[in-house]
Amino acid sequence: MKSPERKPLIAVMAGGFSAEYEISMQSAREIWESLQDSAYQPVLVHLSTSGWRTEPENQSLDLSDFSAVISGEKRRFDAAFVAIHGRPGENGELAAYLEMLGIPHTSCDMRAGVLTFDKALCKICVEGTGVRLAKAVLLRHSDALDRASLQQLKLPIFVKPNRNGSSCGISKVKNSNQLDAAIEQALRYDDELLAEEGVEGGRELTCAVYTHKGEVLTLPICEVRSGQGHEFFDYEAKYTAGQAEEIVPAPIPEALAELVRKCSIAIYRKLGLRGLVRIDYIEREGELWFLEVNTVPGMSRASIVPRMLRAAGLKAGDFFASLLDEALQAASSPEKVHASN
């Protein structure tokens, strides 16, 4: 009797080495659970400073070929679903490792990861896509005490780590007396900081973009309204129930929604992005001000993308499986990906 064909083995990558570790664990577990009834066999792979191990088997990975002992048998993973926010999931490091071994994965490639994780560099690269860019100054740790370059910025300004996510280390500076504390806070997360003029009087919008069967598509747009006591969508507002209102679909005119979709797809194509990303904006008087690109959006129960999926009438498991389908197809015919971008 012919044995049933085994499902492709998928490493759902969790954890990481940044301040976003806990959120990454939550996102990965949601993805792992959603893929249980799919055409794939998901295995949670936990990355930490002590090593890479499977859960719950607690087997270490052989990093020479990206394999592990699964149910008593050593197997090489067929693909990776990247759910690690921050380092190494979003900064290009994990992508570089997987691509070196020829492992298909759901995130952007190494080059795009490096580009989007660096906020200052990303701002330069999105020019010409229909968005506006707030005036900003990049400071490194060695010159962070030099205030001369910051005097050209109008208050309020946002001071943030240049390479970090989940709003960790971000401060809104409304007067010069708050600047020292804001700089100190940002430098806890990175040795570079970006000081950026705030866009006052606007609304925050976010758009998820992905590729399906070679076509670049968007999910319903979300408007984010920070709750009382939060002057912007900070870490607490993002991940604490009741601290922010996330409205999907966003209650905006269709002309504005079309502009958000158009600019988001333009950014996705120009930066050579892959998989699912989320792009954040401030909208004021019909114009979009670019904030950042999230190449591994949150998938925890408190995250925005799951709300977008529900609004679109899509089941999370089916959607995650389609991202894996796309990654495996792209790996087998890379010329099609370049043609679609």
Side-chain angles (χ1 to χ4, degrees):
M1 181 176 179
K2 185 179 179 180
S3 60
E5 187 176 346
R6 291 196 298 189
K7 295 181 178 180
L9 190 66
I10 305 302
V12 180
M13 312 298 287
F17 316 132
S18 75
E20 300 176 83
Y21 172 89
E22 286 298 335
I23 302 304
S24 297
M25 292 300 298
Q26 293 176 31
S27 291
R29 289 193 175 108
E30 288 293 321
I31 294 166
W32 177 80
E33 289 178 4
S34 297
L35 287 171
Q36 291 301 312
D37 297 325
S38 72
Y40 297 102
Q41 180 183 346
V43 174
L44 201 64
V45 175
H46 177 206
L47 275 67
S48 70
T49 53
S50 60
W52 300 26
R53 306 188 72 83
T54 63
E55 291 189 2
E57 296 93 345
N58 196 31
Q59 296 289 321
S60 61
L61 266 68
D62 183 343
L63 297 183
S64 69
D65 62 358
F66 198 53
S67 65
V69 176
I70 307 296
S71 300
E73 178 186 1
K74 183 176 180 180
R75 292 180 61 187
R76 189 173 191 257
F77 289 99
D78 294 291
F81 198 119
V82 179
I84 297 176
H85 315 307
R87 180 172 178 259
E90 289 187 279
N91 68 346
E93 291 177 336
L94 181 56
Y97 162 74
L98 294 169
E99 288 157 15
M100 182 173 62
L101 293 180
I103 303 294
H105 61 90
T106 57
S107 61
C108 293
D109 65 16
M110 181 272 292
R111 183 200 61 83
V114 171
L115 188 159
T116 53
F117 198 65
D118 187 314
K119 292 180 174 65
L121 178 59
C122 190
K123 280 172 65 78
I124 295 171
C125 294
V126 301
E127 287 191 87
T129 58
V131 296
R132 299 198 63 180
L133 301 171
K135 190 174 182 179
V137 170
L138 177 68
L139 291 178
R140 293 177 174 81
H141 191 281
S142 58
D143 57 16
L145 298 179
D146 178 13
R147 301 290 187 269
S149 58
L150 297 178
Q151 292 177 359
Q152 61 183 288
L153 301 179
K154 297 179 181 178
L155 296 172
I157 63 173
F158 285 90
V159 176
K160 60 187 77 173
N162 187 42
R163 296 163 297 193
N164 204 59
S166 287
S167 297
C168 296
I170 297 182
S171 302
K172 183 177 182 179
V173 175
K174 295 187 288 185
N175 62 70
S176 57
N177 294 332
Q178 299 172 325
L179 193 55
D180 287 346
I183 290 174
E184 181 180 349
Q185 173 75 356
L187 291 177
R188 291 176 185 171
Y189 296 90
D190 188 24
D191 61 2
E192 293 182 349
L193 65 85
L194 190 68
E196 192 173 52
E197 287 185 355
V199 182
E200 295 288 272
R203 71 175 96 185
E204 184 165 350
L205 302 173
T206 185
C207 182
V209 190
Y210 65 104
T211 303
H212 180 65
K213 296 183 178 180
E215 184 180 0
V216 180
L217 304 172
T218 62
L219 291 174
I221 299 164
C222 174
E223 178 180 356
V224 178
R225 298 176 182 174
S226 300
Q228 188 173 0
H230 299 276
E231 294 202 54
F232 64 98
F233 197 37
D234 58 14
Y235 185 92
E236 183 182 3
K238 283 183 178 180
Y239 300 114
T240 305
Q243 296 298 305
E245 188 178 8
E246 295 154 353
I247 308 169
V248 186
I252 57 177
E254 177 55 29
L256 177 57
E258 180 57 28
L259 175 64
V260 173
R261 290 190 290 264
K262 180 180 178 181
C263 290
S264 299
I265 291 173
I267 290 171
Y268 190 94
R269 291 183 181 279
K270 184 172 184 181
L271 301 187
L273 306 181
R274 292 192 329 203
L276 173 71
V277 308
R278 207 190 73 232
I279 305 174
D280 301 339
Y281 308 94
I282 295 292
E283 180 272 328
R284 189 178 68 184
E285 298 178 353
E287 292 186 305
L288 290 181
W289 296 75
F290 174 78
L291 291 179
E292 65 177 354
V293 175
N294 301 276
T295 55
V296 183
M299 293 296 176
S300 70
R301 293 182 182 179
S303 298
I304 292 173
V305 168
R307 297 173 187 264
M308 294 175 166
L309 293 175
R310 290 193 291 271
L314 298 173
K315 292 183 178 179
D318 293 342
F319 183 76
F320 297 150
S322 74
L323 295 178
L324 286 165
D325 294 343
E326 196 70 28
L328 287 161
Q329 176 63 25
S332 64
S333 54
E335 69 281 356
K336 293 183 180 179
V337 177
H338 296 311
S340 69
N341 286 342

